[in-house]
Amino acid sequence: MQPLNVQTLNNINEFSVPNYRTADNKPESGIVHLGPGAFFRGHQAWYTHQVMQKLGGDWGITCVSMRSTGVCDALSPQDGLYTLAVLDAQTSYEILGSINEVFVAGSHHQQILDKLTSPACKLVSMTITEKGYCLNNKGELDLDNVEIKQDLSANNQPVTAIGLLVSALAIRKNQGLKPFTVLSCDNLTDNGKKLKAAIVKFANQVDESLALWLDDNLISPCTMVDSITPATDDALRAQVQDKLEIQDNWPIKREAFVQWVIEDTLPADCPKWSEVGATLTSDVRGFENAKLRLLNCPHSTLAYLGVLAGIETVYDAMQNPELVALIQQLIKTEIIPSFVAPKELDVNAYSQAILDRFRNPAIRHLLSQIAWDGSQKLPMRIIPIVEHNLKAGIGIDYLSVALAAWCLFCRKRFIEQETLVDPLADQLFEIAKNCVDDANKDVKQFLTLEAVFPPELAKNEKFVSSLTNAYQVLLPTLRNANALDLTQLLPQTAEV
Ligand code: CS2
């Protein structure tokens, strides 16, 4: 089987290949991207590929993996090229060429710094997940974070994205260059604002004048990103090999639906993503709120309840009538009333379309993947709704079910001695160790975790009682996946 690379591109006949990459020519890297995971490769790298396909331009992407060497090892031998499989009624395939190269922070520090400080670099985007920003529960840079402390105290190579960005921006300032634009593409509310604030706060610890310069000059638009991107599996590798007759080390798959909303502060000297379907708007917050609340919140709810019930994928969970009824009640009675949607969004239709996406039989999206990093995700996608609803006198009982399911999910991982993928795994296992199967006592243990439950909320009687009740109802599932009985939580009239 021939390997995928720029030499073999010409041999791929039936499928779309990049028209801007040849054996002896590639666009310059106008973009550096931190965190080239599957989501980035299926989403932003695809938009940028579309831009270059249609309009050309020097928008090649230099990728930086902050830790793992996997993407670099897989894509370097194939000149950054990879296959995107779009899963719908029929699967379509295209080869994307927007990635020029992949570096690893620990091994290629000088190359990365050279790229970041080159005048050609106009934009640094990132998908580093919620934890990559090192924020505290107020959404501000956590100066007590061990890695932030490390980056602030030593002259070593930075290990955090924030540390790396500030070190490059400091050099740009000294060289009289403009700062690059920074673009957060993670599921955080006000992601651009939080990112800029974190960068300025870090810079302020290093050099006050740098912080002032960044405060005045750093452009950091907010964004909302959306496309369901399950992890690559061997079945996809085999499928790509079979269809394209080419060996691709790391193809990517995603659903056909794709959305990118970017704040209209994006400077002109950036790829024209709006020419290929991205939306530029002044109200990203409205879209972000809608997506975090109507997609990510139900996603996490399904993930934790589903894992407790021994269900593997989102599609499978959507075949369970009780789970679906619970999600529908959650959406209708607690999520939709919790926020003001942008004028152009029909919330009911949007929410229905999301549930239809969850039912896509072509997508095998593992609940255990969505369950990762709960301590980082819940404060973005569930806790703000609870806080809002308590103030506004709106229900919180279904939201509590999601949170109780998460607590029990952490305990389940502990009891079964399985890895808990979460930066707070040690703390969570310590809590799990102290649990005694008494809902009142166990919930109290979890509520001590300030990173997830702000102290005000942890003291709120209505919340504590709702969470305790949900925990009590779900407790039997901890040791018996068949024990999930949601009927007690659903109104008598709910359609199951
Ligand atoms: C999911 C998201 O893993 C998760 O937490 O909720 O990755 C979700 O699939 C994307 O945000 C969809 O755009």
Side-chain angles (χ1 to χ4, degrees):
M1 189 65 60
Q2 54 180 345
L4 173 61
N5 57 46
V6 282
Q7 312 289 341
T8 55
L9 264 187
N10 290 338
N11 308 342
I12 300 172
N13 295 323
E14 275 174 63
F15 300 95
S16 156
V17 299
N19 60 16
Y20 51 90
R21 290 284 297 263
T22 59
D24 36 35
N25 195 24
K26 66 177 174 188
E28 203 170 343
S29 284
I31 302 175
V32 175
H33 182 84
L34 312 183
F39 181 77
F40 159 74
R41 281 178 280 158
H43 186 279
Q44 300 109 71
W46 174 81
Y47 276 97
T48 306
H49 161 82
Q50 297 286 107
V51 167
M52 290 195 282
Q53 200 80 329
K54 190 170 164 189
L55 308 167
D58 277 323
W59 299 117
I61 306 171
T62 292
C63 289
V64 178
S65 292
M66 293 307 296
R67 267 166 243 266
S68 91
T69 57
V71 183
C72 177
D73 294 345
L75 297 194
S76 302
Q78 46 193 62
D79 303 313
L81 300 170
Y82 60 98
T83 314
L84 175 68
V86 176
L87 313 174
D88 213 357
Q90 283 188 330
T91 305
S92 62
Y93 302 87
E94 51 189 319
I95 308 281
L96 308 190
S98 49
I99 296 182
N100 276 345
E101 67 223 322
V102 185
F103 292 135
V104 181
S107 322
H108 305 115
H109 183 61
Q110 197 51 50
Q111 289 101 311
I112 295 167
L113 219 48
D114 288 348
K115 285 287 170 192
L116 286 169
T117 55
S118 129
C121 172
K122 303 289 192 290
L123 180 111
V124 179
S125 55
M126 67 211 72
T127 43
I128 50 177
T129 77
E130 294 84 345
K131 62 176 175 271
Y133 295 82
C134 308
L135 305 179
N136 59 23
N137 66 2
K138 295 198 190 82
E140 294 161 3
L141 185 74
D142 182 3
L143 294 177
D144 291 327
N145 176 292
V146 180
E147 293 187 338
I148 291 292
K149 273 185 166 162
Q150 185 182 331
D151 282 356
L152 280 170
S153 67
N155 266 340
N156 296 339
Q157 296 170 6
V159 293
T160 67
I162 302 294
L164 177 65
L165 290 171
V166 173
S167 66
L169 286 161
I171 299 174
R172 287 183 83 103
K173 177 172 179 274
N174 287 341
Q175 288 177 345
L177 289 173
K178 282 203 305 198
F180 38 68
T181 295
V182 286
L183 199 65
S184 163
C185 299
D186 283 293
N187 288 321
L188 274 68
T189 31
D190 292 329
N191 51 12
K193 289 200 181 72
K194 287 187 177 129
L195 171 61
K196 176 163 178 177
I199 290 175
V200 171
K201 188 166 169 184
F202 186 102
N204 203 33
Q205 301 291 311
V206 184
D207 167 0
E208 209 177 311
S209 69
L210 176 63
L212 288 172
W213 180 73
L214 289 170
D215 205 19
D216 286 346
N217 297 294
L218 185 69
I219 299 174
S220 180
C222 288
T223 67
M224 182 275 253
V225 290
D226 191 8
S227 190
I228 292 175
T229 314
T232 299
D233 49 20
D234 287 342
L236 177 70
R237 287 195 178 86
Q239 210 174 314
V240 165
Q241 191 154 324
D242 186 46
K243 291 278 177 203
L244 280 74
E245 293 177 356
I246 204 134
Q247 148 94 41
D248 182 346
N249 294 329
W250 202 334
I252 297 294
K253 57 177 169 178
R254 69 155 159 83
E255 64 175 338
F257 179 91
V258 63
Q259 189 179 18
W260 197 4
V261 183
I262 308 171
E263 196 176 1
D264 53 13
T265 52
L266 191 73
D269 199 8
C270 280
K272 297 274 172 281
W273 289 306
S274 57
E275 294 277 326
V276 294
T279 306
L280 292 178
T281 174
S282 56
D283 180 21
V284 176
R285 191 169 229 271
F287 284 94
E288 185 66 46
N289 253 328
K291 193 250 169 171
L292 276 167
R293 291 176 185 219
L294 288 165
L295 190 153
N296 296 112
C297 170
H299 235 185
S300 289
T301 310
L302 285 176
Y304 298 120
L305 284 172
V307 171
L308 289 175
I311 299 172
E312 243 189 302
T313 67
V314 176
Y315 173 82
D316 294 337
M318 293 303 287
Q319 307 309 305
N320 178 314
E322 279 176 30
L323 270 180
V324 174
L326 186 119
I327 292 294
Q328 281 170 337
Q329 288 296 320
L330 165 71
I331 292 172
K332 192 170 105 191
T333 63
E334 298 181 4
I335 300 183
I336 292 186
S338 77
F339 72 104
V340 181
K343 288 186 294 300
E344 54 271 61
L345 199 75
D346 173 341
V347 182
N348 289 313
Y350 178 71
S351 160
Q352 189 50 49
I354 289 172
L355 294 184
D356 290 345
R357 288 165 60 196
F358 289 179
R359 286 195 186 94
N360 182 348
I363 303 270
R364 229 185 102 66
H365 197 184
L366 294 178
L367 294 173
S368 56
Q369 183 189 337
I370 300 167
W372 287 355
D373 289 352
S375 72
Q376 313 295 300
K377 290 175 177 174
L378 301 183
M380 299 294 159
R381 52 180 76 174
I382 299 190
I383 299 294
I385 317 181
V386 176
E387 290 178 320
H388 170 275
N389 287 10
L390 282 171
K391 282 201 195 103
I394 303 169
I396 54 160
D397 287 347
Y398 298 112
L399 295 158
S400 296
V401 171
L403 295 170
W406 173 68
C407 297
L408 287 161
F409 161 82
C410 296
R411 288 194 61 197
K412 187 177 163 74
R413 289 283 191 254
F414 175 73
I415 290 169
E416 294 176 0
Q417 301 205 331
E418 272 196 50
T419 309
L420 177 64
V421 183
D422 195 301
L424 299 190
D426 288 348
Q427 262 172 282
L428 287 164
F429 271 5
E430 200 48 42
I431 291 176
K433 203 163 81 188
N434 294 331
C435 286
V436 288
D437 285 357
D438 173 314
N440 281 305
K441 289 187 182 148
D442 294 358
V443 161
K444 275 206 188 88
Q445 291 281 341
F446 277 98
L447 288 174
T448 59
L449 196 72
E450 282 191 26
V452 177
F453 301 108
E456 264 309 289
L457 181 63
K459 282 195 302 238
N460 184 298
E461 278 176 28
K462 194 164 175 200
F463 173 61
V464 177
S465 128
S466 170
L467 185 61
T468 308
N469 181 46
Y471 187 96
Q472 179 71 45
V473 172
L474 297 178
L475 194 52
T477 59
L478 187 57
R479 292 181 183 84
N480 175 8
N482 296 324
L484 184 70
D485 176 11
L486 298 175
T487 45
Q488 311 169 56
L489 298 164
L490 291 166
Q492 301 290 308
T493 50
E495 267 177 50
V496 173

